[in-house]
Amino acid sequence: MHDVFATQTTHAGAGGAAMLEIRNLEAWYGESRALRSICLDVRDGEVVTLLGRNGAGKSTTLKSIMGMMRKRAGSIKLYGEELIGCASNAIARKGIAFCPENRGIFSSLTVAENLTLPPIVRDGGMSEEEIFDLFPNLRERLNTGGTKLSGGEQQMLAIGRILRTGARLILLDEPTEGLAPAIVQQIGRVIRRLRERGLTVILVEQNFRFAETLADRHYVIENGNVVDSMTNAEVPANRDKLAAYLGV
Amino acid sequence: MILIFGVPIQALTGQLMVGLINGAFYALLSLGVAIIFGMLRIANFVHGAQYMLGAFVAWFLLNLPNIFPGLGLPTIGYWVALVLAPLVVFGVGILIEFLFIRRVYDLDHAYSLLLTIGLTMVLEGAFRLKYGSSGQPYEIPELLKGGRNLGFMFLPYYRVWVVVVSLVVCFATWFMIERTKFGAYLRAATEDPILVRAFGINVPLMLMLTYGFGVGLAGFTGVMAAPIYQVSPGMGQNLIIIVFAVVVIGGMGSILGAIISGFFLGIIEGLTKVFWPEASNTVIFVIMAIILLVRPNGLIGRVAK
Amino acid sequence: MTTIDIKQQPVARLEWEKVALVILLALALIAPSFVYPLFLVRILTFVLFASAYNLIFGYAGLLGFGHAAFFGLASYAVAQSAKTLPITPEIAILFGVFVSAAMGVVFGWLAIRRQGLYFAMITLALAQIVYFFFAQVEWAHGEDGIQSVPRGHFLGLIDLSDNMVMYYFVLGVFLIGFLFLLRVIASPYGEVLKAVRDNEARAISLGYDANAIKLIAFTISAGLAGLAGGLNALSFQLASLSDVHYLLSAEVILMVLIGGAATTIGPVLGAVVVVAMQNYFAPFGAWVLVFQGVIFVVCVLTMRNGIVGVIDMLAKAWVDKSGKAY
């Protein structure tokens, strides 16, 4: 397998080169078109959020990067290597990990089995100890059935298990949805830790007040298109506009 | 003569033994059907024909010199066949999955049943062309011939072997699925194959191997059965229908349910032969109807679907 | 949830389907002058059997895998009653229809609680009970079956022992059954049945008792399968274990699948093809089984809408092409 991260330093230089380049990405659910023409860039070590309303195409963008959409077109390049046409399992092996919106915890697996399910794809992932430091709740519940955990614990498990894999690009789909404020803060701290470790994160969010505490840049998605983008520094000046986009 | 409920004890223990043997075969076959149904959502009606195939491969191996005269081929006996035949059937299963089964994963489950009915007809028909409906004898291996008289019954060694091996294989399979890493992948893929694939696991390959394994298990059962029942093209025909009922009773897709109800129903069937012989062919189907009324998801129903 | 996904009927179908049915009826009237009448009888009974099965498979979306039980039960009931009781053939057949429909109520009640594969497996298991019953019960004579069943006199007047007379008797009874089925499918009840198939939850929310609706279809289907079985036993003067065997249940699925499920003419074409194939390949023994298996596989993999689906496609291409010419 071609290890794209081996060449990372030559491309990335001083943290500015594009890690992921998406051009004119289209995707369909059956006959209905979910993405029209998504274009966006993510640089090494960045935390980027995709903002937008329900059904705008944020989750579909993540699933398309991951190769989980059956029908997609356009271009998704990871360090210049085209991902369109790659099978989903091959994409994961290139060092991308995905945490789905519904958390995807398996009920027939214990917490420990859920945690160790995704295979290690690269060196440099977190050890189980480090994951338990981030999410102490998981440590005591290793032999519980996966879906017997609370919603917050399931979310921690869903994030924790992909941190083991050594993936350098982490895709998080609405990790704070429906969770208590204390847990949302905990997840926020975890995302900052990932950034300190030099991981790249794409975060799908509806809540830009949460997103602006973590992210470097934001893209706004509407009707399957990127309609706006801004750096985090530009957010305060654009609050009204963002509120209008998100309908809050 | 000792009587229990008005039945001689020899008859009772004898039928119990027959029931236990049948139960061992039901359990092994139901296990394969349950794995394939649970993991792939495929109703593998061709399982009975694949069991027959296993028995025939063992018979071919034994009769190589007669089938290909003049080539100086050796005759390959039971013990090698016990390893080789399941591997051959595993290979056939992989091929069947690759050519046919994977084309119906995305269709309604009903199509998998129709497809495998068709494959059953082709396989059984092909063997009938050559061997008609008559049975070919297959001898018990030298080591397991004979038996021991326990006073109240005669205990043939081969039958003890069948029961023990069946228990061991069932336990090993259960362990592999419920307690190992590969099993965890399988269970997870049952719930959400797309996500498991997005973790970097080659799910299509895994499904192919799983189908091959379940089918290989049928082939293994066929070799085990060859010395007890005659090797004939129709040997899996009625069995598969019983096995389907056993799987429904155990709870479709439940591994443990398939094993337990396999043995349990074999014994019930044996006892019925003693006390009400006319009902022995149908008792399993009647139990299935009753179970469906009182416990619609089967004895150990994990998935209600 | 539907078991089988059926495409919406194209409007053009209705045109050629009606024409084809009328032509086939005309052929049925004159055919015995050219073809051996008992072969035609076999086709008619299997067309009726397949059409009856289509009611649950195509129109109710239920994959029953034990319809031979109803065909065979009536077959044995008609054979035994015609042989041992002083009754006329039409009474014997009515009796056969009645017992099959009654068993349809019981089996249907047990099976329709479950859907999809469960439904298939349950109907299969229940049908096996029937099979073993006839395999063991003394008066059914095991492998031999009930032989030399007297055809008797229709209404006590018309002697049916002549094959030609028998054929027209069968054709008459067949038409009654077939037209009744068409009437059921076209009736408001038939519309509700299709609605339940396409979206059960929605039909229930509209106030329909989905299980009762399916049970009615299952019972009608069982009764008509019985009618086919009874006619078959009387015509061939034989009721045997192959009438209740699971392979017959598989064959009737094949007939509907190959012809085209949820269409009027599909089961007709499917039954003709399968019976003709069995007839012409009979000398080749087990090849029949192999061929049937291959057709099964091909139908499932490549033409799930059957012969009718293919004709529709050709007809559409032809209409499009001739449309452009104008």
Side-chain angles (χ1 to χ4, degrees):
Chain A
M1 189 177 12
H2 178 60
D3 186 349
V4 289
F5 289 100
T7 56
Q8 170 175 347
T9 45
T10 53
H11 280 279
M19 176 191 215
L20 191 73
E21 283 180 356
I22 300 181
R23 293 290 174 271
N24 304 321
L25 177 64
E26 301 169 47
W28 290 261
Y29 286 104
E31 295 299 305
S32 81
R33 194 165 167 189
L35 299 184
R36 296 183 180 276
S37 181
I38 297 280
C39 298
L40 55 86
D41 293 294
V42 180
R43 288 185 280 271
D44 250 329
E46 266 192 322
V47 175
V48 170
T49 61
L50 307 182
L51 300 168
R53 299 185 199 211
N54 272 335
K58 306 177 305 275
S59 297
T60 310
T61 305
L62 294 193
K63 285 186 185 167
S64 300
I65 296 171
M66 218 52 242
M68 294 163 81
M69 299 294 294
R70 196 168 290 177
K71 204 172 159 195
R72 55 190 181 144
S75 163
I76 303 172
K77 284 186 174 161
L78 180 71
Y79 292 121
E81 189 187 359
E82 185 58 68
L83 299 185
I84 297 277
C86 279
S88 162
N89 48 312
I91 292 174
R93 298 274 171 181
K94 293 180 196 299
I96 309 182
F98 173 61
C99 175
E101 186 178 5
N102 60 11
R103 297 169 191 139
I105 299 302
F106 300 102
S107 61
S108 59
L109 274 62
T110 64
V111 170
E113 284 175 324
N114 267 290
L115 188 62
T116 54
L117 186 79
I120 309 256
V121 295
R122 277 181 51 82
D123 297 336
M126 288 189 185
S127 67
E128 283 175 46
E129 272 312 308
E130 283 175 286
I131 292 167
F132 295 144
D133 286 344
L134 288 179
F135 304 114
N137 302 32
L138 297 182
R139 196 196 301 268
E140 291 109 56
R141 312 213 49 186
L142 281 178
N143 293 318
T144 318
T147 45
K148 298 235 167 71
L149 298 179
S150 71
E153 289 168 330
Q154 288 192 31
Q155 187 63 62
M156 296 173 193
L157 179 56
I159 297 178
R161 69 178 170 194
I162 58 171
L163 301 181
R164 252 183 85 253
T165 63
R168 294 302 164 82
L169 174 58
I170 308 283
L171 314 180
L172 299 176
D173 196 349
E174 304 215 22
T176 62
E177 194 189 19
L179 297 182
I183 300 171
V184 172
Q185 283 182 9
Q186 194 182 356
I187 288 172
R189 281 196 296 277
V190 169
I191 296 174
R192 274 187 285 273
R193 279 279 294 280
L194 302 183
R195 192 181 157 168
E196 285 158 20
R197 284 178 75 107
L199 298 183
T200 310
V201 178
I202 304 180
L203 177 68
V204 162
E205 263 300 334
Q206 298 210 43
N207 176 357
F208 72 85
R209 283 179 188 83
F210 172 73
E212 72 177 329
T213 62
L214 317 156
D216 299 296
R217 288 189 303 121
H218 308 272
Y219 285 97
V220 180
I221 295 181
E222 225 172 67
N223 291 326
N225 285 305
V226 172
V227 292
D228 206 345
S229 68
M230 62 190 72
T231 64
N232 205 39
E234 293 166 334
V235 169
N238 287 296
R239 278 188 195 286
D240 292 345
K241 199 162 80 172
L242 277 176
Y245 280 133
L246 297 174
V248 288
Chain B
M1 192 157 59
I2 309 164
L3 296 177
I4 294 178
F5 301 122
V7 175
I9 190 164
Q10 277 84 355
L12 190 64
T13 52
Q15 285 304 335
L16 263 179
M17 191 68 207
V18 170
L20 199 59
I21 294 287
N22 284 340
F25 288 119
Y26 295 161
L28 280 172
L29 290 172
S30 309
L31 181 62
V33 170
I35 289 173
I36 293 170
F37 184 77
M39 308 293 156
L40 286 73
R41 300 275 137 191
I42 294 290
N44 196 38
F45 193 79
V46 66
H47 214 75
Q50 286 156 339
Y51 154 87
M52 174 270 288
L53 189 63
F56 259 103
V57 172
W59 183 83
F60 287 146
L61 290 171
L62 195 68
N63 293 290
L64 277 182
N66 305 330
I67 298 169
F68 302 105
L71 292 181
L73 293 171
T75 165
I76 295 173
Y78 177 83
W79 300 104
V80 179
L82 206 52
V83 178
L84 213 53
L87 284 177
V88 171
V89 180
F90 170 85
V92 172
I94 295 280
L95 199 65
I96 288 177
E97 197 276 348
F98 183 74
L99 292 176
F100 307 109
I101 306 281
R102 62 173 49 186
R103 287 164 219 281
V104 298
Y105 285 144
D106 292 337
L107 303 176
D108 189 279
H109 303 160
Y111 286 113
S112 71
L113 182 63
L114 300 177
L115 175 70
T116 51
I117 291 171
L119 294 172
T120 307
M121 288 176 162
V122 173
L123 260 177
E124 278 192 20
F127 275 88
R128 267 180 211 286
L129 282 176
K130 181 88 177 101
Y131 298 99
S133 50
S134 62
Q136 316 291 332
Y138 191 98
E139 267 199 49
I140 292 176
E142 211 53 53
L143 194 64
L144 295 171
K145 274 187 179 156
R148 178 181 285 258
N149 198 337
L150 300 177
F152 59 92
M153 71 176 295
F154 181 75
L155 192 63
Y157 292 137
Y158 189 77
R159 306 203 164 205
V160 177
W161 160 254
V162 167
V163 174
V164 171
V165 169
S166 165
L167 281 170
V168 169
V169 170
C170 285
F171 174 77
T173 308
W174 173 85
F175 186 86
M176 184 194 76
I177 287 173
E178 296 294 335
R179 292 288 181 271
T180 67
K181 187 87 192 180
F182 182 77
Y185 288 149
L186 271 181
R187 279 176 283 141
T190 310
E191 288 183 46
D192 189 345
I194 296 174
L195 182 61
V196 171
R197 199 168 180 195
F199 284 152
I201 293 157
N202 192 340
V203 173
L205 177 69
M206 198 169 76
L207 294 182
M208 186 193 212
L209 291 176
T210 305
Y211 186 78
F213 175 80
V215 166
L217 216 55
F220 177 80
T221 315
V223 186
M224 297 286 288
I228 295 187
Y229 311 110
Q230 291 209 317
V231 180
S232 75
M235 68 190 283
Q237 201 185 68
N238 287 319
L239 203 52
I240 182 60
I241 303 177
I242 295 176
V243 164
F244 267 30
V246 170
V247 172
V248 170
I249 292 169
M252 304 243 319
S254 162
I255 307 293
L256 206 56
I259 298 171
I260 293 172
S261 50
F263 276 101
F264 171 72
L265 291 166
I267 292 169
I268 293 275
E269 197 185 44
L271 289 177
T272 314
K273 257 182 209 135
V274 181
F275 294 105
W276 189 14
E278 295 80 10
S280 65
N281 284 322
T282 47
V283 63
I284 289 181
F285 304 118
V286 174
I287 291 176
M288 186 206 72
I290 295 169
I291 293 275
L292 280 166
L293 285 177
V294 293
R295 279 189 68 95
N297 290 329
L299 287 178
I300 305 180
R302 182 156 72 187
V303 246
K305 200 168 174 193
Chain C
M1 189 189 89
T2 64
T3 299
I4 295 290
D5 139 64
I6 286 126
K7 297 251 165 71
Q8 206 63 42
Q9 294 204 10
V11 186
R13 155 99 49 76
L14 299 170
E15 304 303 321
W16 72 260
E17 198 171 40
K18 272 183 199 149
V19 174
L21 282 172
V22 171
I23 293 174
L24 284 172
L25 177 61
L27 278 176
L29 285 169
I30 55 164
S33 317
F34 311 102
V35 188
Y36 182 50
L38 277 186
F39 173 63
L40 294 171
V41 164
R42 186 144 210 113
I43 286 183
L44 283 181
T45 56
F46 276 89
V47 166
L48 187 57
F49 186 27
S51 301
Y53 179 68
N54 187 33
L55 183 64
I56 66 153
F57 180 70
Y59 292 102
L62 295 167
L63 175 62
F65 190 8
H67 242 51
F70 306 112
F71 184 92
L73 176 67
S75 181
Y76 275 100
V78 169
Q80 184 70 357
S81 60
K83 203 169 174 183
T84 57
L85 300 174
I87 53 175
T88 51
E90 69 281 359
I91 301 293
I93 286 174
L94 278 176
F95 173 65
V97 171
F98 173 76
V99 289
S100 283
M103 194 170 77
V105 175
V106 178
F107 283 13
W109 178 75
L110 272 167
I112 51 172
R113 303 149 173 261
R114 312 310 308 274
Q115 287 165 323
L117 285 178
Y118 285 91
F119 186 86
M121 289 180 169
I122 294 161
T123 46
L124 175 60
L126 293 172
Q128 280 306 92
I129 299 179
V130 177
Y131 174 83
F132 283 114
F133 174 78
F134 285 115
Q136 286 172 344
V137 81
E138 207 169 309
W139 55 263
H141 302 295
E143 295 284 335
D144 299 335
I146 301 176
Q147 300 181 349
S148 335
V149 176
R151 286 179 183 167
H153 292 66
F154 175 44
L155 297 175
L157 304 168
I158 304 166
D159 185 1
L160 295 175
S161 54
D162 182 70
N163 284 343
M164 203 64 118
V165 179
M166 187 69 203
Y167 170 76
Y168 285 104
F169 170 73
V170 170
L171 182 62
V173 179
F174 163 83
L175 283 176
I176 295 171
F178 190 76
L179 293 174
F180 170 70
L181 195 61
L182 293 192
R183 188 74 202 84
V184 168
I185 292 164
S187 71
Y189 163 77
E191 292 305 317
V192 175
L193 182 65
K194 283 173 247 176
V196 170
R197 173 195 72 193
D198 293 337
N199 191 339
E200 185 165 337
R202 194 160 140 260
I204 292 172
S205 75
L206 289 172
Y208 292 111
D209 182 345
N211 279 352
I213 285 159
K214 286 193 257 181
L215 184 56
I216 291 170
F218 198 83
T219 307
I220 294 173
S221 176
L224 288 175
L227 182 60
L231 284 175
N232 195 62
L234 203 63
S235 310
F236 292 91
Q237 304 178 282
L238 172 73
S240 75
L241 283 177
S242 61
D243 296 343
V244 273
H245 198 268
Y246 88 90
L247 270 178
L248 184 62
S249 299
E251 274 165 24
V252 75
I253 303 176
L254 181 63
M255 289 174 193
V256 175
L257 195 65
I258 195 180
T263 65
T264 308
I265 200 161
V268 180
L269 299 176
V272 171
V273 168
V274 172
V275 172
M277 189 191 76
Q278 285 175 343
N279 193 55
Y280 292 114
F281 284 102
F284 303 102
W287 277 113
V288 176
L289 200 59
V290 177
F291 276 131
Q292 282 185 351
V294 170
I295 294 173
F296 239 117
V297 172
V298 169
C299 280
V300 170
L301 292 183
T302 64
M303 42 184 264
R304 283 186 285 278
N305 293 315
I307 298 172
V308 170
V310 173
I311 298 180
D312 275 345
M313 220 165 59
L314 296 176
K316 188 171 174 296
W318 186 75
V319 167
D320 287 354
K321 207 174 143 198
S322 54
K324 266 176 208 147
Y326 283 104

